[in-house]
Amino acid sequence: MSALVSDFKQNFIENARWEYLTNGLKTTLLVTVGAVLLGFILGFLVAIVRSTHDRTGRMKILNFLCKIYLTVIRGTPMVVQLMIMYFVIFGSVVFFGSVELSKYIVAILAFGINSGAYVAEIVRSGIMAVDSGQIEAGRSLGFSYRQTMRLIVLPQAFKAVLPALANEFIVLLKETSVAGYIGIVDLTKGGDIIRSQTYSAFMPLLAVAFIYLVMVMILSHLVQRLERRLAKSDRH
Amino acid sequence: MIDIKDLVMTFSGVTVLDHISETINKGEKIVIVGPSGSGKSTFLRCLNMLERPTSGQILFEGKDLTKAKEEELDKIRMKMGMVFQNFNLFPHMTVRQNITIAPKRLGLLTKEEADAKAEELLEIVGLPDKIDSYPSTLSGGQKQRIAIARALAVDPDVMLFDEPTSALDPEMVGEVLQLMKKLADDGMTMVVVTHEMSFAKEVASRVLFVADGNILEQAPPKEFFENPKNPRLKDFLSKIL
């Protein structure tokens, strides 16, 4: 028991090492939230292009570009994309004169672009699942295709794919744990730094895992509540 | 009001509508009957360009819809209310939202005006207490009456009905037909595809028999049912009456 206590003290209390975890957590959250926003925007845009093409045959060129994007992003590992983004594409670019800030921006771009590809296919499946009679009803009332999409199709599609989108959010949160590859000290890297200083793996790594787990559980709970609210119109 | 000229519709080589020409005048109640797969619904859906005809012209209040731009078509569709076999109510919206969304979002009415209109329309279709219900809580007949109210909310000049009672349980057909009859009595121009011959007899000013992609016979209902001339129509009537 006392061995555990001293282990705990050494890993978290001494030299205020717990700050590696709290600062890392902040970074993880920042990168995740930024990437989720970017991924959702990208994903919805790509999904709208793809489903519009599938339904009406328009937007051929855009649809082709979207397909390349989906193939490349979904066909290569996230870590590789992150490193290509950092060392190749933005290898010599410094945003706003700050190397530190540049890392964050690159990470958000890389994770967001990656997530967008998965969000796109999720949302597209939701759009295609909305009955075509809904579009006809919208058009027959005098709405344009765009208005019909925005007011009638997308809200229903969003509701249908919400659990899948939430899952993507959770996957993304955990996926940011490779941000250390480009020198970002996120939660995982923070734990790893403690391990390298104390030569003790058990406490810091379990602490890191525990924090991820708690975040995922909170997110899952929030999604359930949102789903219940959206399910109002299904109640009999 | 609607002039159809030489309308042709082919789906991947199959001719569904074969050079149909017809004129629908203001105030008329046209009922279209015919065997399934004869092109009745396609004909109706061409009238507001939900289906784009292969060739021919559709003139609505003098404007050729086949040549109209998308934005113009959106405006014209507002003038042509449509009621579907499967209701197609918006499931994520309450009855009130279903009825008010078009007049509000199309800039026809303010929120207050649209709400007042919804209440007025629900009074007409006999469902004032359902204003805050979701479609999933309604019966088929109620859904279709709400769908009619929704179509009426943008003050259309003509109402198109695509088999409005075909998806209903038998005991709910009456309430929908009754409402349609009320609309007809109020002078609405109507084009109705249906299998309800009693409705055709009672309400139609003209009955059209469509088969093989053509209008094979048309007449006022009395003449249509009592003295059919086309052998296909005779055969059709003998099977259903």
Side-chain angles (χ1 to χ4, degrees):
Chain A
M1 187 65 204
S2 68
L4 269 180
V5 172
S6 75
D7 203 17
F8 183 88
K9 271 191 183 150
Q10 189 204 9
N11 276 299
F12 302 126
I13 313 293
E14 277 175 24
N15 297 331
R17 289 203 174 98
W18 55 273
E19 284 182 354
Y20 283 113
L21 295 183
T22 52
N23 290 336
L25 176 60
K26 272 186 228 157
T27 302
T28 291
L29 288 174
L30 178 80
V31 172
T32 304
V33 169
V36 159
L37 291 177
L38 179 60
F40 273 34
I41 293 167
L42 264 180
F44 268 86
L45 290 177
V46 171
I48 289 167
V49 169
R50 298 264 293 128
S51 55
T52 300
H53 176 267
D54 288 356
R55 276 213 160 108
T56 66
R58 287 182 293 177
M59 301 192 178
K60 281 209 175 64
I61 297 168
L62 270 178
N63 181 58
F64 180 70
L65 294 176
C66 288
K67 269 168 112 168
I68 293 177
Y69 161 66
L70 295 177
T71 309
V72 171
I73 295 298
R74 295 197 302 167
T76 54
M78 177 67 243
V79 195
V80 178
Q81 290 168 22
L82 179 66
M83 290 197 292
I84 289 176
M85 192 69 97
Y86 186 66
F87 296 112
V88 181
I89 297 175
F90 292 111
S92 54
V93 182
V94 177
F95 291 102
F96 307 115
S98 158
V99 175
E100 207 47 38
L101 186 60
S102 293
K103 284 181 189 170
Y104 288 118
I105 291 173
V106 168
I108 287 173
L109 279 175
F111 288 115
I113 289 171
N114 177 274
S115 180
Y118 294 94
V119 170
E121 288 301 87
I122 293 170
V123 173
R124 186 171 76 101
S125 73
I127 292 174
M128 296 314 277
V130 174
D131 182 37
S132 60
Q134 292 287 311
I135 299 180
E136 291 183 350
R139 300 305 301 274
S140 79
L141 287 170
F143 287 124
S144 64
Y145 181 80
R146 195 182 281 226
Q147 284 174 312
T148 306
M149 268 315 240
R150 186 162 51 86
L151 298 171
I152 293 154
V153 177
L154 284 178
Q156 293 182 57
F158 180 70
K159 191 176 126 182
V161 300
L162 191 65
L165 279 181
N167 203 37
E168 170 57 27
F169 186 11
I170 289 169
V171 168
L172 183 60
L173 173 74
K174 291 181 289 179
E175 210 146 58
T176 58
S177 61
V178 298
Y181 273 86
I182 60 167
I184 288 180
V185 184
D186 70 327
L187 177 57
T188 305
K189 189 69 183 171
D192 201 46
I193 289 173
I194 299 176
R195 183 188 60 79
S196 70
Q197 290 178 354
T198 61
Y199 300 105
S200 134
F202 176 79
M203 280 279 177
L205 292 185
L206 254 69
V208 166
F210 179 73
I211 295 170
Y212 277 114
L213 181 63
V214 169
M215 284 195 291
V216 169
M217 285 168 67
I218 291 171
L219 280 175
S220 305
H221 176 72
L222 290 177
V223 171
Q224 266 175 25
R225 275 181 44 177
L226 184 59
E227 269 184 74
R228 265 202 297 270
R229 254 192 60 191
L230 287 172
K232 238 182 6 196
S233 57
D234 294 335
R235 224 174 274 153
H236 286 257
Chain B
M1 179 180 249
I2 308 178
D3 279 304
I4 300 115
K5 292 184 181 163
D6 220 18
L7 183 67
V8 175
M9 184 75 175
T10 54
F11 286 114
S12 46
V14 181
T15 305
V16 184
L17 301 178
D18 190 9
H19 298 279
I20 291 186
S21 294
E22 186 56 60
T23 298
I24 295 163
N25 295 310
K26 192 168 164 45
E28 274 200 293
K29 290 94 183 75
I30 306 285
V31 173
I32 302 173
V33 300
S36 356
S38 58
K40 303 175 303 246
S41 286
T42 309
F43 175 71
L44 191 74
R45 292 153 58 82
C46 279
L47 294 185
N48 68 350
M49 301 289 283
L50 277 187
E51 307 269 11
R52 291 205 161 251
T54 313
S55 68
Q57 288 180 302
I58 313 251
L59 275 72
F60 178 69
E61 293 171 351
K63 183 132 193 79
D64 186 356
L65 306 190
T66 56
K67 296 196 176 62
K69 291 199 203 75
E70 275 296 317
E71 305 84 71
E72 291 176 297
L73 266 185
D74 294 336
K75 288 228 163 62
I76 290 163
R77 286 203 188 94
M78 242 188 262
K79 298 272 114 202
M80 308 171 99
M82 187 151 198
V83 176
F84 302 86
Q85 182 173 354
N86 295 315
F87 329 124
N88 295 339
L89 289 178
F90 306 132
H92 59 303
M93 299 179 191
T94 63
V95 166
R96 181 201 302 273
Q97 290 165 326
N98 264 279
I99 298 174
T100 57
I101 183 166
K104 264 193 327 202
R105 296 288 182 156
L106 294 169
L108 304 176
L109 300 175
T110 65
K111 190 185 173 303
E112 288 73 29
E113 288 167 343
D115 274 336
K117 179 105 188 172
E119 282 162 28
E120 181 194 326
L121 286 168
L122 286 174
E123 209 62 58
I124 292 173
V125 303
L127 295 167
D129 53 325
K130 296 294 183 189
I131 191 155
D132 291 316
S133 305
Y134 280 95
S136 60
T137 64
L138 305 176
S139 73
Q142 291 172 332
K143 281 183 194 165
Q144 196 59 298
R145 284 147 71 195
I146 300 296
I148 292 172
R150 179 180 67 178
L152 288 172
V154 288
D155 278 326
D157 294 341
V158 54
M159 287 283 281
L160 311 176
F161 292 85
D162 187 6
E163 303 203 19
T165 57
S166 296
L168 296 177
D169 291 336
E171 77 270 23
M172 292 171 185
V173 171
E175 60 190 81
V176 172
L177 291 181
Q178 217 172 8
L179 172 60
M180 288 166 63
K181 189 169 180 309
K182 189 150 86 177
L183 271 181
D185 291 343
D186 287 345
M188 177 62 80
T189 310
M190 293 163 68
V191 185
V192 184
V193 171
T194 187
H195 295 290
E196 295 294 329
M197 294 305 146
S198 60
F199 180 80
K201 280 179 191 165
E202 216 178 316
V203 179
S205 52
R206 239 186 326 150
V207 187
L208 271 53
F209 177 64
V210 172
D212 306 330
N214 251 310
I215 301 173
L216 297 184
E217 181 155 350
Q218 58 167 301
K222 196 168 154 56
E223 163 124 11
F224 185 92
F225 289 105
E226 287 173 13
N227 192 12
K229 294 178 190 71
N230 186 290
R232 289 289 306 272
L233 174 56
K234 283 182 190 167
D235 180 51
F236 177 73
L237 290 177
S238 72
K239 276 180 188 148
I240 55 165
L241 294 177

